[in-house]
């Protein structure tokens, strides 16, 4: 694998710094959104069509933010045959806070004990769903700085997204992502191409430290998300134009310059609306768009609209969603596998979309592509940036290994246990009642967890948490029936499924 190198071999600036390996964890149980509609007594399609959600993963009281992150880090290290000595920085992004002082990162250091490596920089970063992106930027900046010692950086984003009973509850989910960062990466950051917007707002926040539930202003959260998207796209566009001009090109940037475009996904329908909104930005920014033929056909009536007046304009939304439909199918929809089948994971959300994109394409299809990512966290903070996929997709290449490592996502999704909405509601009530208890032994069934999952064994009278890991099962196979179910889960081009490794408008922008 590419990555760390002797200091004597390092030039003044490491080349192609980015994501080398990526691992994703989601819970072993889910609730069906159609059945949840029935339990909640809402109209059919409110969650599945209105929000674009199919299933929602959730955790029992056996899992917390520490266990999720322990699981995903150890899986990444094992599946890539990495030594803990090779990691020099470990960054965690999360908004799932179970301690006001002790970081999740320090809990993860238990995994490093046998290696003897305690020289590991980094701690936790928190700002709603943006914390994972901030942690990733910190890791990239470290590798590109004079502080780098030649080792990998490891970034972990994890959260448990739960809501009180009501319209926002179906936008929950849970999961964690671990990303290995270093030079010569198959997914390299495009240097200087970040558009960021930060502003103060109380759209979604968690002032009650005794509760997992947020306070949400649903309408404001959508307005903040879309306004941040507008601003970030404008800044990114200006920066790439400046780069091109320095290179002697007067080319105009548009959505066509992204091979794929991924978004923080509170719910899938908002992602589709977001892509449509970026097309509207292209349309309004163009000095003389062709409204007779091409993608802007029939949009002349919207030539003079003001962006800040269109957040809830249904006519504008409908027109540009229709105009951008083919772009959505090509550039964004393949990234929504995890979002639709597991729900919103908060900080890992956009990186679950990245994993989904790689699960839905071959290395040759992705090679050379520019991938745009929009990350949003309430409060609020947002960045639009881009990654460039390496051209090398030969067998055994870093890109081929990365794609191969994520090709089992559908099988893993299909191997989960479906739970009734009533049991889901009982589980949420149990979590609510026991969230900050001391002297507590969790009640959830350990045997329901995936092989190789870390879980909470007890909380002592001083609130100290203890964990154990379920046994690995290296002989677990992808049975033919499981493969069939996985293929049906989200239609996609036929692909050989590998073995399972051991290891609505009234909804909130849950960030």
């Amino acid at each position: 694998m590419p990555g760390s190198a002797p200091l004597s071999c390092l030039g003044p600036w490491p080349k192609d710094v980015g994501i080398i390996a990526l691992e994703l964890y989601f819970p072993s149980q889910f609730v069906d959104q159609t059945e949840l509609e029935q339990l909640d007594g809402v109209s059919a399609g409110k969650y599945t069509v209105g929000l674009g959600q199919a299933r929602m993963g959730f955790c029992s009281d056996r899992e917390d933010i520490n266990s999720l992150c322990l699981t995903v880090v150890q899986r990444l290290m094992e599946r890539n045959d990495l030594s803990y000595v090779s990691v020099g920085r470990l960054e965690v992004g999360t908004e799932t806070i179970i301690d006001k002082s002790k970081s999740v990162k320090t809990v993860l250091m238990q995994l490093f004990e046998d290696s003897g490596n305690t020289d590991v920089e980094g701690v936790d970063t928190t700002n709603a769903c943006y914390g994972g992106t901030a942690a990733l930027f910190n890791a990239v900046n470290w590798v590109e700085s004079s502080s780098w010692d030649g080792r990998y950086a490891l970034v972990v984003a994890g959260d448990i997204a739960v809501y009180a009973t009501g319209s926002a509850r179906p936008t929950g989910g849970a999961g964690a992502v671990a990303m290995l960062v270093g030079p010569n990466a198959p997914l390299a950051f495009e240097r200087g191409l970040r558009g960021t917007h930060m502003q103060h707002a109380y759209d979604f926040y968690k002032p009650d430290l005794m509760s997992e539930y947020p306070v949400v202003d649903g309408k404001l959260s959508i307005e903040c998300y879309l306004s941040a998207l507008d601003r970030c796209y404008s800044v990114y566009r200006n920066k790439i134009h400046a780069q091109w001009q320095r290179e002697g090109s007067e080319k105009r940037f548009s959505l066509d310059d992204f091979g794929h475009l991924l978004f923080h996904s509170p719910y899938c329908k908002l992602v589709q609306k977001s892509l449509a909104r970026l097309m509207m930005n292209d349309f309004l920014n163009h000095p003389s768009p062709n409204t007779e033929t091409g993608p802007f056909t029939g949009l002349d009536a919207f030539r003079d609209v003001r962006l800040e007046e269109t957040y809830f304009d249904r006519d504008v939304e409908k027109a540009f969603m229709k105009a951008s439909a083919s772009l959505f199918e090509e550039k964004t929809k393949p990234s929504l596998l995890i979002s639709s089948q597991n729900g919103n994971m908060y900080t890992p959300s956009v990186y679950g979309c990245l994993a989904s994109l790689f699960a839905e394409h071959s290395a040759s299809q992705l090679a050379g592509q520019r991938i745009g990512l929009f990350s949003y966290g309430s409060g609020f903070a947002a960045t639009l940036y881009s990654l460039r996929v390496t051209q090398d997709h030969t067998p055994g290449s870093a890109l081929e290994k990365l794609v191969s490592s994520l090709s089992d996502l559908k099988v893993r999704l299909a191997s989960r246990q479906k739970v009734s909405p009533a049991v889901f509601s009982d589980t949420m009530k149990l979590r609510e009642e026991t969230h900050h208890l001391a002297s507590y032994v969790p009640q959830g069934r350990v045997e329901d967890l995936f092989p190789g999952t870390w879980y909470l064994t007890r909380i002592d009278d001083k609130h100290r948490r203890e964990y154990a890991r379920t046994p690995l099962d290296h002989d677990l196979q992808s049975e033919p029936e499981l493969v069939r179910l996985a293929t049906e889960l989200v239609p996609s081009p036929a692909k050989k499924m590998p073995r399972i490794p051991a290891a609505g408008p009234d909804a909130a922008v849950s960030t």
Side-chain angles (χ1 to χ4, degrees):
M1 293 181 65
S4 55
L7 288 177
S8 60
C9 298
L10 299 178
W13 203 314
K15 182 182 178 183
D16 293 335
V17 176
I19 300 169
I20 298 167
L22 189 154
E23 180 61 38
L24 172 67
Y25 171 75
F26 45 79
S28 60
Q29 55 190 358
F30 70 90
V31 62
D32 186 273
Q33 293 276 19
T34 300
E35 296 179 3
L36 197 57
E37 289 172 345
Q38 297 169 357
L39 177 73
D40 292 347
V42 300
S43 58
K46 184 175 179 64
Y47 304 157
T48 52
V49 179
L51 298 178
Q53 299 302 114
R55 297 172 176 179
M56 179 169 59
F58 66 97
C59 297
S60 74
D61 63 341
R62 281 289 178 184
E63 295 187 275
D64 62 12
I65 185 57
N66 291 336
S67 69
L68 264 61
C69 292
L70 284 165
T71 297
V72 78
V73 168
Q74 189 157 16
R75 286 186 174 185
L76 180 135
M77 299 299 284
E78 289 174 346
R79 295 186 72 180
N80 291 282
D81 196 25
L82 291 167
S83 166
Y84 286 94
V85 175
S86 68
V87 176
R89 189 176 186 93
L90 173 57
E91 294 268 354
V92 177
T94 184
E95 65 170 270
T96 305
I97 307 301
I98 56 175
D99 191 286
K100 293 184 290 184
S101 175
K102 182 174 174 60
S103 67
V104 175
K105 184 266 180 71
T106 57
V107 176
L108 296 179
M109 289 306 298
Q110 295 175 91
L111 299 174
F112 289 72
E113 288 180 1
D114 289 345
S115 72
N117 179 21
T118 59
D119 179 20
V120 184
E121 297 183 9
V123 286
D124 293 5
T125 301
T126 300
N127 190 93
C129 294
Y130 189 80
T133 293
L136 180 59
F137 289 171
N138 288 343
V140 170
N141 293 343
W142 177 71
V143 174
E144 292 185 339
S145 76
S146 61
S147 299
W148 189 48
D149 62 7
R151 293 184 293 168
Y152 294 115
L154 185 57
V155 178
V156 187
D159 277 304
I160 298 172
V162 289
Y163 295 84
T165 302
S167 62
R169 174 160 278 188
T171 65
V177 167
M179 294 173 279
L180 193 71
V181 173
N184 306 314
L187 280 177
F189 277 73
E190 292 201 285
R191 191 169 295 148
L193 294 183
R194 295 184 196 170
T196 292
H197 178 71
M198 299 203 178
Q199 187 175 330
H200 167 62
Y202 280 115
D203 58 326
F204 170 108
Y205 53 108
K206 296 178 178 178
D208 184 354
L209 299 181
M210 295 299 291
S211 172
E212 289 189 284
Y213 300 147
V215 176
V216 184
D217 183 330
K219 185 174 182 179
L220 177 61
S221 67
I222 294 173
E223 181 176 332
C224 289
Y225 182 103
L226 296 178
S227 67
L229 179 62
D230 291 340
R231 300 286 186 85
C232 290
Y233 188 54
S234 176
V235 173
Y236 181 95
R237 186 175 56 220
N238 290 339
K239 287 184 177 180
I240 200 168
H241 281 163
Q243 280 193 8
W244 286 350
Q245 287 172 0
R246 288 193 296 269
E247 297 166 358
S249 172
E250 295 298 324
K251 179 182 175 183
R252 174 173 297 278
F253 182 84
S254 72
L255 289 180
D256 290 335
D257 292 293
F258 287 121
H260 298 281
L261 194 53
L262 284 49
F263 300 82
H264 168 61
S265 178
Y267 51 94
C268 294
K269 186 55 69 71
L270 182 63
V271 170
Q272 187 173 1
K273 293 178 180 179
S274 297
L275 185 73
R277 188 163 188 88
L278 291 188
M279 174 178 267
M280 179 171 66
N281 273 261
D282 280 353
F283 174 69
L284 296 178
N285 187 64
H286 200 290
S288 55
N290 182 354
T291 57
E292 300 297 327
T293 60
F296 299 143
T297 300
L299 296 176
D300 191 58
F302 304 103
R303 186 62 182 151
D304 297 323
V305 301
R306 294 165 56 89
L307 283 173
E308 62 273 18
E309 297 175 355
T310 60
Y311 301 130
F312 304 102
D313 189 318
R314 296 296 179 90
D315 292 335
V316 170
E317 181 182 280
K318 182 178 178 180
F320 282 93
M321 284 183 70
K322 180 180 179 181
S324 63
S326 61
L327 281 180
F328 174 72
E329 292 289 329
E330 174 192 353
K331 296 181 183 295
T332 302
K333 187 176 180 180
S335 70
L336 295 178
L337 171 65
I338 295 298
S339 297
S340 66
Q341 300 297 323
N342 182 55
N344 184 9
M345 300 185 291
Y346 286 171
T347 54
S349 172
V350 71
Y351 303 103
C353 291
L354 184 62
S356 298
L357 180 70
F358 275 64
E360 296 280 29
H361 292 85
S362 66
S364 62
Q365 290 173 323
L366 293 165
Q369 297 280 345
R370 169 182 286 127
I371 300 174
L373 297 95
F374 175 68
S375 178
Y376 176 86
S378 286
F380 58 96
T383 297
L384 176 65
Y385 67 98
S386 55
L387 302 171
R388 178 69 76 173
V389 184
T390 179
Q391 292 282 2
D392 183 8
H393 57 88
T394 57
S397 65
L399 177 59
E400 193 276 333
K401 289 178 180 178
L402 178 58
V403 172
S404 178
S405 73
L406 296 168
S407 63
D408 66 341
L409 286 188
K410 286 187 177 181
V411 169
R412 288 165 57 187
L413 286 166
S415 69
R416 296 176 299 169
Q417 177 185 359
K418 179 181 175 180
V419 175
S420 72
V423 172
F424 163 71
S425 296
D426 289 343
T427 302
M428 293 299 99
K429 189 174 188 303
L430 177 64
R431 290 189 64 91
E432 180 179 334
E433 294 171 347
T434 62
H435 178 56
H436 266 299
L437 289 184
S439 303
Y440 178 67
V441 177
Q443 302 174 29
R445 286 165 43 96
V446 174
E447 52 268 39
D448 289 339
L449 301 173
F450 285 131
T453 300
W454 284 88
Y455 61 93
L456 183 65
T457 58
R458 67 185 289 262
I459 305 174
D460 71 12
D461 59 350
K462 294 184 177 180
H463 288 273
R464 294 176 296 192
R465 294 173 178 243
E466 298 176 8
Y467 301 89
R469 193 187 190 199
T470 59
L472 290 170
D473 183 359
H474 291 282
D475 296 322
L476 188 61
Q477 301 283 336
S478 296
E479 300 295 343
E481 180 66 9
L482 191 57
V483 173
R484 182 188 65 79
L485 290 172
T487 304
E488 293 175 351
L489 197 57
V490 175
S492 66
K495 181 186 295 185
K496 182 180 179 182
M497 304 306 294
R499 296 174 63 180
I500 300 176
D506 59 343
V509 175
S510 37
T511 51

